[in-house]
């Protein structure tokens, strides 16, 4: 059995479809080398997506595609930020206040790449927002890790105490994160017309479908980028008042269109887009969009994909989080390092894998909806993906350093170099990332 077969079958068992036959594939050598089986997670999430794409091809009367696992392409996609070049320059991954910091009784991991998260973190530390880095580091060194974590949560900042695996699994938030299927697909009460739009082709099995993308950072954008690669019309919507990190947008927005809408003043326009969408993908904390007045059931039968850091149950369901933060809280950082000196995975693997799994879930939900018209919600969380990785067998504590991704596995356009698609049968995305917010908030007539 290939290492990634377990994840594919766990995904398929969780959503209730017949287990796929997994084609044997080569191992990637030291690419994604880690104590935890990161390669199994990476290859499995991509294989789950390709298996789902063949299921919807079957629904649409199309021949299946004989997908294969390409270790180089998957490694490049999972380490895409390391290959990204904009006018020859690499991306700066983390801001100075993002990282591991020692505390009075342990370690914390912080995330402050966005300016508003930096301001909130400094406020949580009891410092002015213009405080220098050395003062923030000193304040953390004199504080208890658990106090920093709680003050951060209370102020909307992002910092967690670095835990061991045992501490995490014995906590209420750890129990909640490990419960339920890897990807949950739940039926809702609303029902629309069954069927799918016409015009699909073997390599474009999602052609004619409209996806409203309200996600940021990595996991959600990777999911919607995958749907665009398979032929969907994807419109990403961002609030005009919230800053975006340019390199991150360029790295995950290929094949999409991009528009700006303020839900506080332009909610009717957003709901109009939603009424003619087939899929809504959101990355907001559970309940926040509904509170703002955006309802997935505005479009009966829509598939709503949701990605969150900690899941939608348990004491941490409303907290913010990112891949690096989830690694630190769940014990992955101590597994890859030690309690005295935490480490990290060789890629933002929780983000990327969750993105491919969310795309697979959306596709399988669309296939099911084509038969009955019932609306479905698809849920993934980084913490649930982390739980799968922590419980997976075949750890390799003695491993070589992770090799860099092959710089040949890239595509180039107008001064921007990005990783090629993880699905090996696709040489490139249909288009590079658009200019941020450059498109009108409307669906093109060509998608219907």
């Amino acid at each position: 059995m290939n290492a990634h077969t377990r994840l594919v079958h766990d995904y398929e068992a969780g959503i209730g479809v017949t287990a796929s036959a997994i084609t044997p594939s080569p191992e990637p050598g030291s690419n994604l080398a880690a104590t935890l089986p990161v390669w199994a997670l990476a290859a499995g999430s991509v294989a789950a997506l390709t298996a789902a794409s063949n299921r919807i091809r079957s629904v649409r009367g199309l021949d299946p595609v004989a997908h294969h696992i390409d270790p180089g392409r998957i490694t490049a996609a999972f380490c895409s930020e390391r290959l990204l070049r904009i006018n020859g320059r690499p991306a700066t991954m983390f801001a100075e206040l993002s990282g591991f910091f020692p505390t009075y009784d342990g370690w914390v991991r912080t995330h402050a790449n966005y300016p508003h998260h930096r301001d909130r973190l400094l406020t949580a530390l009891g410092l002015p927002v213009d405080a220098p880095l050395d003062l923030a580091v000193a304040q953390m060194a004199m504080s208890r890790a658990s106090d920093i974590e709680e003050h951060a949560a209370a102020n909307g900042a992002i910092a967690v105490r670095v835990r061991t695996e045992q501490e995490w699994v014995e906590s209420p938030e750890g129990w909640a994160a490990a419960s339920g299927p890897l990807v949950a697909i739940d039926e809702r009460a609303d029902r629309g017309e069954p069927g799918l739009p016409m015009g699909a082709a073997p390599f474009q099995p999602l052609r004619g479908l409209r996806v409203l993308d309200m996600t940021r950072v990595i996991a959600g954008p990777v999911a919607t980028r995958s749907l665009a690669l398979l032929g969907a019309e994807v419109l990403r919507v961002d609030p005009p008042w919230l800053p975006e990190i340019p390199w991150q947008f360029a790295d995950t927005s290929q094949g999409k269109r991009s528009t700006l809408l303020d839900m506080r003043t332009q909610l009717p326009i957003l709901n109009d887009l939603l009424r003619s969408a087939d899929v809504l993908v959101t990355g907001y904390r559970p309940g926040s969009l509904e509170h703002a007045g955006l309802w997935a059931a505005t479009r009966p039968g829509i598939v709503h994909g949701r990605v969150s850091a900690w899941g939608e149950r348990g004491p941490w369901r409303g907290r913010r989080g990112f891949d690096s933060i989830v690694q630190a809280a769940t014990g992955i950082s101590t597994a890859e390092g030690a309690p005295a000196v935490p480490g990290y995975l060789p890629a933002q693997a929780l983000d990327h894998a969750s993105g491919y799994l969310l795309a697979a879930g959306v596709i399988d939900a669309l296939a099911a909806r084509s038969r009955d018209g019932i609306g479905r919600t698809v849920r993934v969380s980084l913490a649930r993906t982390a739980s799968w990785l922590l419980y997976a067998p075949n750890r390799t504590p003695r491993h070589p350093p992770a090799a860099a991704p092959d710089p040949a596995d890239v595509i180039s356009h107008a001064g921007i170099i990005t990783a090629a698609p993880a699905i090996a049968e696709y040489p490139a995305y249909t288009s590079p990332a658009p200019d941020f917010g450059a498109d009108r908030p409307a669906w093109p007539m060509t998608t219907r």
Side-chain angles (χ1 to χ4, degrees):
M1 177 184 291
N2 269 84
H4 61 279
T5 302
R6 179 184 298 271
L7 185 137
V8 180
H9 289 168
D10 284 351
Y11 163 76
E12 291 172 336
I15 67 169
V17 299
T18 302
S20 300
I22 306 300
T23 302
S25 66
E27 295 292 329
S30 61
N31 287 331
L32 300 181
T35 295
L36 298 172
V38 177
W39 169 246
L41 177 67
S45 63
V46 174
L49 172 60
T50 57
S53 69
N54 272 333
R55 282 190 286 271
I56 204 164
R57 288 185 181 102
S58 176
V59 167
R60 305 193 83 169
L62 302 170
D63 291 334
V65 171
H67 291 289
H68 74 283
I69 293 295
D70 184 324
R73 291 282 287 272
I74 291 175
T75 299
F78 269 67
C79 300
S80 59
E81 69 277 3
R82 294 166 62 186
L83 293 170
L84 179 70
R85 297 292 184 273
I86 299 178
N87 296 323
R89 295 183 177 181
T92 300
M93 298 298 110
F94 290 102
E96 62 178 11
L97 258 181
S98 295
F100 291 110
F101 295 96
T103 69
Y104 176 77
D105 59 351
W107 290 83
V108 292
R109 176 90 195 206
T110 63
H111 196 288
N113 284 3
Y114 289 98
H116 58 293
H117 287 159
R118 182 185 188 278
D119 292 350
R120 291 173 185 172
L121 178 60
L122 290 168
T123 299
L125 294 172
L127 299 173
V129 296
D130 60 351
L133 174 64
D134 57 354
L135 185 57
V137 172
Q139 183 68 18
M140 286 187 276
M142 295 185 295
S143 304
R144 295 183 185 277
S146 58
D147 290 341
I148 296 172
E149 180 178 272
E150 292 307 314
H151 292 159
N155 285 275
I158 304 168
V160 294
R161 178 171 66 89
V162 176
R163 290 163 170 78
T164 65
E165 295 176 64
Q166 195 66 24
E167 287 177 305
W168 176 250
V169 300
E170 291 177 352
S171 68
E173 52 271 18
W175 278 102
S179 64
L182 185 60
V183 177
I185 301 181
D186 301 318
E187 294 183 1
R188 300 191 308 271
D190 56 285
R191 184 189 295 260
E193 291 296 323
L196 294 168
M198 302 294 290
F203 280 87
Q204 298 278 281
L206 303 185
R207 185 184 293 166
L209 293 164
R210 292 172 172 172
V211 178
L212 195 61
D213 176 9
M214 299 182 69
T215 66
R216 312 189 118 215
V217 195
I218 298 176
V222 163
T224 53
R225 183 183 66 185
S226 301
L227 301 177
L229 182 69
L230 294 169
E233 174 68 37
V234 178
L235 177 62
R236 173 164 159 165
V237 178
D238 284 273
W241 47 268
L242 194 61
E244 177 59 307
I245 298 171
W247 73 260
Q248 209 159 245
F249 181 83
D251 195 38
T252 59
S253 297
Q254 299 95 322
K256 309 177 191 178
R257 295 164 63 245
S258 169
T259 195
L260 302 177
L261 280 175
D262 191 337
M263 275 195 295
R264 299 170 298 186
T265 59
Q266 297 176 292
L267 188 61
I269 298 175
L270 193 54
N271 275 321
D272 280 344
L273 288 170
L274 188 58
R275 288 187 185 96
S276 54
D278 302 286
V279 177
L280 170 66
V281 184
T282 60
Y284 289 80
R285 287 175 298 145
S288 57
L289 283 178
E290 290 85 351
H291 179 74
L294 185 73
W295 302 97
T298 297
R299 170 76 152 92
I302 197 170
V303 171
H304 184 186
R306 304 165 71 117
V307 58
S308 63
W310 308 106
E312 301 191 11
R313 290 178 288 184
W316 281 20
R317 61 186 178 276
R319 293 196 181 189
R320 296 169 173 85
F322 295 94
D323 185 304
S324 59
I325 297 295
V326 175
Q327 287 187 42
T330 59
I332 289 175
S333 293
T334 54
E336 295 298 335
V341 183
Y344 44 83
L345 298 176
Q348 302 285 297
L350 306 181
D351 259 330
H352 286 274
S354 296
Y356 292 117
L357 288 169
L358 179 58
V362 165
I363 291 170
D364 277 316
L366 284 167
R369 191 200 65 179
S370 72
R371 294 186 284 267
D372 57 26
I374 294 173
R376 288 170 171 82
T377 298
V378 183
R379 292 181 287 108
V380 303
S381 76
L382 304 189
R384 182 64 185 87
T385 303
S387 294
W388 186 92
L389 182 62
L390 287 164
Y391 283 106
N394 302 321
R395 294 191 179 192
T396 53
R398 297 181 181 275
H399 59 81
D406 189 339
D409 289 316
V410 297
I411 49 180
S412 177
H413 184 271
I416 298 179
I417 296 173
T418 59
I423 304 178
E425 289 69 35
Y426 291 77
Y429 295 100
T430 54
S431 63
D435 291 336
F436 184 66
D439 294 291
R440 293 178 55 248
W443 297 110
M445 296 301 294
T446 54
T447 59
R448 282 291 190 270

